[in-house]
Amino acid sequence: MNEEQFMQLIQKHEQYANRKPQGYRNKVLAWIFLGYAVFGGALILSLGLLAFSIFTFIEKGFSFGALKLLLMTLPLSYILLRALKVKKYQPKGIVLSPEDAPQLFRTLDELTTKMKAPRFDTVILDDKWNASVVSISKSMLLGSRRHVLHIGLPMLIGLDDQQVKAVLAHEISHISGKDTTLGAWVYRLDQQWKGLVHYFEQDEEEWLQALFRKFIQWYYPRFYALTFVMRRQQEYIADANAAKATSAQVMAECLVMNHTGGRYFYREFVPAVLEEAEQNNEEPQPLTRLYELMANMDEKREKFEEYMQKALAEKTGYSDSHPSLTDRLNALRCQPMLPNLRNQAVDVYLKNGAEWVSKVEEFLNLMEVTGELTNFEEAYAYAKQVKQQLKEEEEKELARYQELMNKPSKTLDELYQFAELAFRIDGPLAGVKVLRQIISTYKNPADTAPAFFKLGKIQLAIDEVEQGVQLLEVAAHNDYRLRWEVYDCLRDFFAERGDEKKATKYERKLERWEELLSLSDEECEEDFDGEEELLPHGLSSETLEKIREDLESVPQIGAVYIARRDMSYIPQRACYFIAVEPLTPLNDEESEALSDKIDEMLEHWIGDDYYHLYVLEEQDLLEPFIEAPHACVYRAKAYQK
């Protein structure tokens, strides 16, 4: 069924439901029973055949027929039983208690009593401009249900207490009365068929897929289209019930505010607050800012009016079961009007509403490290602990920054650390100053390459394109290890600007560089043949001192030689040959243990560069390393040769 056929089917059901409401309800019931009949019949048949195969094994012993039947019915029974269970609901938000929100719980008690609806088992405060009800089956197909109310803090900030009361009455309507009992039944069956679809799509047994695929593909879209009409009817019924519980005018006000304020909040307000916070290097505070804005809504009345007009122009469609704002207002017989807030519901419904806004704001800024918000008090305590840890880390960084600032002479590594801290603590200008100091102080191209790279990216960010490209090209030239990152950065930069010519240029450079890297990798992997010319290792005096210090702790070593391969494809790339001459002859096990020990040290000596390590005792094998220029980096005091 394609989208056009689906919409036509919904329209057909709408017309039938309007002409014959009871006939439509009977049709929904018939489709529910059809689904249960097929679903339950398949399960009963599968379990019966499974029991029969087991009984056959017990009574008559092994047979291939019984085994085949067992292998067919066991996975089918398992999948059908799994599909019976609605997926466990994991609410995300802050669980509210009557102590947290006394007026909210009093209002809920009043409305559930008045509307003859079940009370809520759990009330969740979340960060959405919305409210919703979820009914969860406690057992499988039948049995009692648990009702969970989700209410968004932004909505409590953006609506007044009467408008929120209308929202609550609307949501309570979904779990009250005979109409919504049928709707809940529809929901559970829908979840079970979704489970079946999922399991049969995931199952690798083709015959299981073929067994149910045709029926599911035929039944489920038609069942969804049929009940779509009922879900839309429920929205009108819930609006009418909410109007009875409050007033038609209040219900109309809450519809207008949710369509206008909610959209403005998500589409403009939050993005603007996040962007401003990023520019100022501050934690975003959209809830606090919204609380301040809605206290004086007139400042944004023109913007809200603009969003209201856009919402009123929308037509009811089929992508969502909710009717359009205009149709819902017409059903209430109310004119569209942007209301004035009598108060802010958060101050009425939550105890110390302003404190809640601040508390939740602080917590949401740490949500990534706290995980799901299922127990607010514990999670909030953890968030405070994390915040304290972050504060301590910041204090350590600041202390280290001041230490480096006061240190008259710094190593290259310390200068790069100083630059990174300067960017974070004192801003871009301070960081750039340190990077330029590195470039002016150090003459080895590889030492300055990261500084050129960072400066180049900064220039691109402020739209100094020509200078940025030049700096990045210097970084790529000075250190081959940055070349891929430079070409990738420039390709993406020009692609985003729509400069296809330059983007293609760096795409080709990337491709050529990847080919060259592949050839160079093969060259590095080649073993030493004993005849190729060896180059000086080129290691710094600091590295050589570290090597000698490490080797002093290994008494089995007589001498160590390090040389470099003459690389053809990427001359800058280092590929080392390391020859270890034992102080005394070693057996194979001792030689391997010595090699493993040197392996552990190599990361501190040469980092990620490629190397070949040899433990050699024969003089003819050692000869090329002995003759290589400046190759001997360590000689034990007891070494006699």
Side-chain angles (χ1 to χ4, degrees):
M1 184 185 300
N2 58 36
E3 187 176 352
E4 184 179 351
Q5 291 172 329
F6 179 72
M7 289 192 297
Q8 289 174 352
L9 188 57
I10 292 175
Q11 291 168 356
K12 178 182 175 182
H13 290 314
E14 277 182 329
Q15 294 167 3
Y16 180 70
N18 290 332
R19 290 197 318 271
K20 298 182 178 181
Q22 188 58 46
Y24 170 73
R25 285 176 53 81
N26 292 339
K27 192 172 184 179
V28 171
L29 286 168
W31 273 79
I32 289 175
F33 284 120
L34 174 63
Y36 272 122
V38 174
F39 186 77
L43 179 60
I44 292 169
L45 178 63
S46 179
L47 290 174
L49 292 173
L50 177 63
F52 176 75
S53 63
I54 295 171
F55 176 79
T56 303
F57 271 117
I58 295 171
E59 292 296 318
K60 299 183 179 180
F62 176 80
S63 74
F64 284 106
L67 178 62
K68 186 175 180 181
L69 185 61
L70 178 67
L71 294 176
M72 288 174 64
T73 54
L74 186 61
L76 179 60
S77 299
Y78 171 76
I79 289 172
L80 290 171
L81 286 170
R82 287 288 299 271
L84 278 170
K85 189 175 181 181
V86 176
K87 186 179 179 182
K88 186 179 179 181
Y89 181 68
Q90 296 287 350
K92 293 184 179 181
I94 299 162
V95 178
L96 292 177
S97 68
E99 291 74 26
D100 297 323
Q103 184 57 42
L104 175 62
F105 278 83
R106 282 195 291 270
T107 302
L108 289 174
D109 287 345
E110 174 196 334
L111 290 173
T112 51
T113 301
K114 185 177 181 180
M115 300 173 71
K116 298 180 181 179
R119 294 175 184 266
F120 290 104
D121 299 276
T122 309
V123 178
I124 303 287
L125 181 71
D126 60 32
D127 60 347
K128 308 291 190 298
W129 187 306
N130 193 24
S132 62
V133 171
V134 180
S135 294
I136 306 112
S137 297
K138 291 183 179 179
S139 61
M140 294 176 78
L141 288 177
L142 301 172
S144 60
R145 295 184 294 279
R146 186 165 63 93
H147 302 291
V148 178
L149 171 67
H150 282 261
I151 187 164
L153 183 56
M155 190 185 71
L156 289 175
I157 295 171
L159 272 60
D160 65 32
D161 63 328
Q162 291 303 303
Q163 293 160 5
V164 168
K165 184 176 181 180
V167 172
L168 296 174
H170 175 99
E171 296 304 323
I172 290 169
S173 178
H174 286 309
I175 56 170
S176 67
K178 63 180 182 179
D179 289 321
T180 47
T181 301
L182 179 58
W185 197 4
V186 167
Y187 166 79
R188 291 198 303 279
L189 188 58
D190 180 66
Q191 294 301 306
Q192 289 152 10
W193 280 106
K194 281 181 181 176
L196 272 178
V197 170
H198 173 74
Y199 284 120
F200 283 120
E201 284 177 350
Q202 296 296 317
D203 203 288
E204 296 179 358
E205 297 290 341
E206 182 63 29
W207 69 272
L208 282 176
Q209 295 181 26
L211 186 64
F212 269 87
R213 185 189 298 117
K214 286 187 177 180
F215 179 76
I216 291 173
Q217 289 175 345
W218 174 83
Y219 175 85
Y220 185 67
R222 289 162 177 79
F223 172 76
Y224 188 84
L226 176 65
T227 55
F228 183 95
V229 179
M230 177 173 285
R231 287 193 295 273
R232 176 158 292 169
Q233 287 178 341
Q234 292 297 326
E235 295 303 325
Y236 285 117
I237 292 170
D239 285 351
N241 289 338
K244 289 177 184 177
T246 54
S247 73
Q249 185 57 44
V250 168
M251 183 60 205
E253 288 177 6
C254 96
L255 289 173
V256 169
M257 286 302 298
N258 280 333
H259 276 78
T260 57
R263 295 184 186 190
Y264 169 69
F265 176 72
Y266 287 115
R267 296 178 186 180
E268 287 193 38
F269 184 78
V270 171
V273 171
L274 295 179
E275 184 179 355
E276 182 182 336
E278 186 176 358
Q279 289 174 352
N280 297 331
N281 196 26
E282 298 172 344
E283 287 185 344
Q285 295 184 313
L287 296 179
T288 301
R289 295 280 295 277
L290 181 69
Y291 184 72
E292 295 168 355
L293 170 68
M294 298 309 293
N296 188 11
M297 183 181 148
D298 287 342
E299 290 183 7
K300 290 292 182 181
R301 181 165 287 274
E302 286 187 11
K303 180 62 68 175
F304 279 58
E305 290 278 3
E306 178 186 329
Y307 272 92
M308 184 180 74
Q309 294 305 322
K310 288 179 180 178
L312 291 169
E314 293 174 357
K315 304 296 183 184
T316 298
Y318 296 101
S319 60
D320 181 8
S321 59
H322 287 82
S324 69
L325 174 60
T326 298
D327 287 349
R328 295 175 80 172
L329 291 175
N330 288 339
L332 292 169
R333 298 182 179 178
C334 290
Q335 294 298 314
M337 183 181 67
L338 192 64
N340 292 312
L341 298 184
R342 303 167 183 85
N343 49 48
Q344 287 179 274
V346 66
D347 294 325
V348 177
Y349 285 117
L350 298 182
K351 187 177 181 180
N352 301 320
E355 290 183 15
W356 269 96
V357 173
S358 176
K359 198 175 182 181
V360 173
E361 187 94 80
E362 181 183 14
F363 179 66
L364 291 175
N365 281 323
L366 290 160
M367 206 164 67
E368 289 184 6
V369 291
T370 55
E372 291 186 351
L373 321 181
T374 51
N375 185 322
F376 177 68
E377 291 304 325
E378 289 182 12
Y380 181 72
Y382 175 60
K384 295 286 286 183
Q385 179 186 347
V386 170
K387 192 166 186 178
Q388 180 61 32
Q389 291 172 351
L390 292 174
K391 184 179 178 182
E392 290 171 2
E393 289 295 324
E394 288 175 1
E395 290 172 353
K396 287 180 183 177
E397 282 191 351
L398 183 59
R400 177 60 174 163
Y401 182 51
Q402 291 171 341
E403 178 190 346
L404 290 171
M405 187 182 294
N406 297 327
K407 190 174 182 180
S409 179
K410 306 176 188 66
T411 66
L412 180 62
D413 287 341
E414 286 175 336
L415 276 171
Y416 274 114
Q417 185 186 13
F418 186 44
E420 191 64 35
L421 291 171
F423 274 108
R424 289 208 293 269
I425 295 169
D426 279 344
L429 292 178
V432 166
K433 184 178 178 181
V434 181
L435 293 178
R436 286 177 176 161
Q437 181 187 345
I438 293 171
I439 291 171
S440 63
T441 305
Y442 288 85
K443 303 307 176 186
N444 182 4
D447 291 339
T448 60
F452 279 109
F453 181 74
K454 180 76 172 177
L455 287 172
K457 291 187 75 173
I458 290 170
Q459 293 298 314
L460 291 183
I462 62 175
D463 217 27
E464 294 289 343
V465 179
E466 185 176 349
Q467 191 174 357
V469 171
Q470 288 175 356
L471 290 169
L472 288 171
E473 291 279 13
V474 171
H477 179 268
N478 286 359
D479 190 344
Y480 79 92
R481 288 167 295 191
L482 288 174
R483 204 162 296 174
W484 193 95
E485 200 168 348
V486 166
Y487 295 157
D488 183 61
C489 171
L490 290 172
R491 177 198 58 185
D492 291 347
F493 174 77
F494 286 116
E496 287 175 7
R497 292 171 68 93
D499 192 335
E500 292 299 326
K501 184 177 179 181
K502 289 184 179 177
T504 302
K505 170 187 172 182
Y506 286 103
E507 175 67 30
R508 288 173 180 167
K509 282 194 172 189
L510 262 178
E511 291 171 356
R512 287 197 297 271
W513 181 242
E514 287 173 349
E515 291 172 3
L516 204 59
L517 273 177
S518 179
L519 292 170
S520 182
D521 286 342
E522 292 176 8
E523 187 178 21
C524 285
E525 290 169 3
E526 291 176 8
D527 217 339
F528 179 61
D529 61 7
E531 296 182 2
E532 62 180 292
E533 183 181 355
L534 296 176
L535 302 179
H537 52 68
L539 297 172
S540 67
S541 56
E542 292 89 351
T543 302
L544 291 174
E545 187 179 339
K546 173 65 177 170
I547 290 172
R548 289 165 187 145
E549 183 183 327
D550 289 345
L551 293 175
E552 287 287 350
S553 64
V554 188
Q556 302 96 320
I557 294 176
V560 173
Y561 306 89
I562 303 179
R564 280 179 60 175
R565 166 168 274 157
D566 187 5
M567 299 293 289
S568 303
Y569 297 104
I570 306 176
Q572 288 178 305
R573 188 175 189 182
C575 176
Y576 295 99
F577 293 113
I578 302 165
V580 179
E581 183 180 2
L583 192 61
T584 58
L586 304 175
N587 60 35
D588 289 346
E589 187 176 339
E590 292 169 334
S591 178
E592 186 175 347
L594 179 59
S595 179
D596 290 342
K597 199 162 196 174
I598 302 298
D599 255 328
E600 293 174 6
M601 299 176 177
L602 279 168
E603 183 181 347
H604 304 290
W605 300 354
I606 61 174
D608 296 330
D609 288 322
Y610 208 96
Y611 67 89
H612 295 268
L613 175 63
Y614 307 99
V615 177
L616 303 172
E617 297 181 23
E618 296 84 352
Q619 194 64 26
D620 58 330
L621 297 177
L622 281 165
E623 197 67 33
F625 299 99
I626 295 171
E627 294 178 356
H630 312 295
C632 185
V633 298
Y634 173 78
R635 193 181 299 275
K637 293 177 182 178
Y639 185 79
Q640 298 298 320
K641 294 183 183 179

